[in-house]
Amino acid sequence: MSEQVVPIDVSQPKQRQPLLRRRYALEVRQQMAWYWQALILAAALAVGLAISALILIAAGVPGGELLNEFVIMTVFDAQSLQAVLFQASPMILVGLAGCMAFRARFWNLGLDGQMIWGAIGATAIVLFEVGPPALRLPLMLLTAAVCGALWALTPIVLKLRLQVSEIISTLMLNYLASYFLLHLLYGSWKDPRDSFPYSPPFQSFERLPEFFHGYSAGIPLAVVIAVFALWLIGFSRAGLYLRFVDANPKVADAVGVPLRKTILATVLLSGAMAGIAGFVITSGQEGRLTQSFYQGYGFSGILIAFLARNNPIAALVVALLIATLFVAGRSLQVFYQIPFSMVQLIQAILVICVASSDFFIRHRLRRVQGGES
Amino acid sequence: MDLIASWLGNTPDFAVPFALAALGLIITERAGVLSLGAEGLMLVGALAGIGAQLAYGSAELSLLIAMLSASVVSILFAIMVVLLRINQVIAGLSLVFFCQGLTGLLGTLWGWTNRPVSGMSSISLWPLSELPLIGKVFVQNPVVYLTPLIFLAVVWFLTRSGTGLRLRAVGENPQAADSVGIPVLWYRVAAILAGAALIGLAGGYLSVLSTKLWIADMTGGRGWIAIALVIFARWYPWRALMGALLFGCVEALIPQLAAAGIRLPQYFILMTPYAVTLGVMIWVAASKRAGGEQPGALGIPFVREERR
């Protein structure tokens, strides 16, 4: 880029320049070695975690307990580790959903809504007793995926056809989905036994089984889908097409890449993954449809995709970390009466720090010599 | 008849938060900054307003504090988009999540949740308030009467004052504005802070004067609806005011329908503001005119001497 800093106004060298530009010039960096990038990213995460730790201490958690609570209790305790992995499976799925959508340059803020519809679809299979018991689980999974994808259909079609901003449309659809969920749970799907606003409990063959002592089958499911996403993005033809969306849509059109179809399919896939996440929570964790099972996941999915730079394997790792945060957040809630909003705040701080660190990767500050102006 | 009268009477109260938030967004976006953080800033205003009201008991002061605190939080956004040039969508979204987390946390920790406050007493404009049917429209709290005046002031500022002209120039073509010596970045920072103050006022109005209590996430998407309103209004303040009245009508209708005993599924009625927003977005997109009135540099960070 521009190596030389051209003075703006030659005739009036004494004119006051804005503060930030007085002695330094910002330049766009062409590229940066990967280890520097990794170092900056790590520094950003460290800053974010430090700020979060300060907030936690200010909120009343004894400073010495933090390490204990977040690291030792969650990773080295078998029961907590189970909880983390349990929590990780829907987290990985929403993270992958975020990755897919962002690959297609689609701001899918509707992960919540798609999760709700996935869960509703799976629960409908249970309540209407579709199919024999042996086929019940696969059928629930399939329906959840289809329902999630269908809920993503409206915003992507509106975007492709009319250029309606998906940021607003997906969010509005979230509100519609959540009210529809309440309509069902306070209405015809209410548990007839105690009239609480949740569906009747699923039977044992409608619940996700364990694949290993105490570890839910949601984990291998999420990993399989992550590998599929990796293949799709990294090695398939669709993945090649998707790179055009990022690089240059006009050239893609010119050389005959079916860009719109690829974007449509990718976004539907994103919706399907979010739908499956809804299924994993209802069938695996709660065992029934509840009214707030989806809360916090939509944002986490976006965060995971952002932190993982839309890479499915990185998303696995980040999702595991966020799941740890969720589990630790719940125990903070129990032991120190810290509201769960803390988890959202910490996630937001991490995003802000990492997003800010991008600045240092993409720019450099150069001292302008005194003689130049 | 009574029903229609009270519906019309409630409309301004519901419209004011939309109107003020949309106006704040227009100021920010006219300077070329895509501001998706409205939902979060409204929450900050709402929480700060309630906190001040509980502490000092003065509604005027609480609204001022609501404006101030939203502006203070928006400094974070200004640093992100103006100084660090983060993608404005990411910056806006993370601001919303940050504010949601922060207000949820503080509201619970400081015990401000669900504590009712008194608000402001309403003023009736005497001869008008006695009119049949529309009389109740003229019995409102002072901020409702203030809102059109704020609009008038902002419209005058944007279209008639030199500073407003420069602000719009910064949003249309920052390179050209820069070349005539306008400090683009400072104008953008000022626009973000000023816009945030109005959005904070909208939030404070919502908690202190309208619902008169604080609940976590009480804005319920109104910030997002305001963003849709600005697109609908094509960045013109008066059209935004009309749109806000439309949404005020829709929201005011919800309690009326319940009161009238009309047997409609409750949750479908609660969906209407969001469904209407979606409909408005589609309508705007379908009837899009060539070019559009969107500020030319909306969402594009300004970097002097950078070639793209």
Side-chain angles (χ1 to χ4, degrees), chain A residues 11-29:
Chain A
S11 61
Q12 290 173 290
K14 287 286 172 194
Q15 196 189 15
R16 202 170 145 267
Q17 283 183 314
L19 187 70
L20 291 171
R21 311 199 160 263
R22 227 170 261 170
R23 256 166 259 124
Y24 294 93
L26 270 176
E27 289 177 353
V28 174
R29 225 190 267 269

Side-chain angles (χ1 to χ4, degrees), chain A residues 108-120:
Chain A
N108 190 355
L109 304 185
L111 294 172
D112 287 322
Q114 291 140 23
M115 282 175 75
I116 292 173
W117 271 98
I120 289 177

Side-chain angles (χ1 to χ4, degrees), chain A residues 1-2 6 20 26 28 107 109 162 164 171 175-176 179-180 183 186 299 306 339 341 344-345 348 356 359 363, chain B residues 83-85 89-90 93 97-98 100-101 104-105 108 220-221 224 227 267-268 271 274 285 304-307:
Chain A
M1 287 290 157
S2 58
V6 185
L20 291 171
L26 270 176
V28 174
W107 289 100
L109 304 185
L162 296 169
V164 174
L171 274 166
Y175 287 105
L176 296 189
Y179 279 122
F180 187 71
H183 171 73
Y186 281 95
F299 167 43
F306 174 72
S341 322
Q344 184 171 9
L345 184 63
S356 304
F359 172 80
H363 298 85
Chain B
L83 185 62
L84 300 180
R85 302 165 192 170
V89 176
I90 292 177
L93 290 177
F97 297 134
F98 176 79
Q100 279 175 343
L105 184 70
T108 317
W224 298 110
I227 292 170
Y267 294 106
F268 284 92
M271 284 180 197
Y274 311 108
R304 190 189 278 168
E305 295 153 10
E306 184 172 314
R307 277 159 224 161

Side-chain angles (χ1 to χ4, degrees), chain B residues 16-94:
Chain B
V16 163
F18 290 123
L20 291 175
L23 191 63
L25 282 168
I26 288 175
I27 294 178
T28 307
E29 302 207 337
R30 280 282 185 168
V33 179
L34 179 67
S35 179
L36 291 180
E39 176 83 0
L41 292 174
M42 272 178 97
L43 280 170
V44 169
L47 181 76
I50 279 290
Q53 177 79 1
L54 287 171
Y56 305 114
S58 153
E60 292 83 1
L61 185 66
S62 339
L63 291 180
L64 274 179
I65 290 180
M67 294 173 76
L68 203 66
S69 32
S71 280
V72 168
V73 172
S74 77
I75 292 175
L76 178 68
F77 180 68
I79 290 174
M80 283 196 283
V81 297
V82 176
L83 185 62
L84 300 180
R85 302 165 192 170
I86 298 174
N87 177 325
Q88 296 185 358
V89 176
I90 292 177
L93 290 177
S94 52

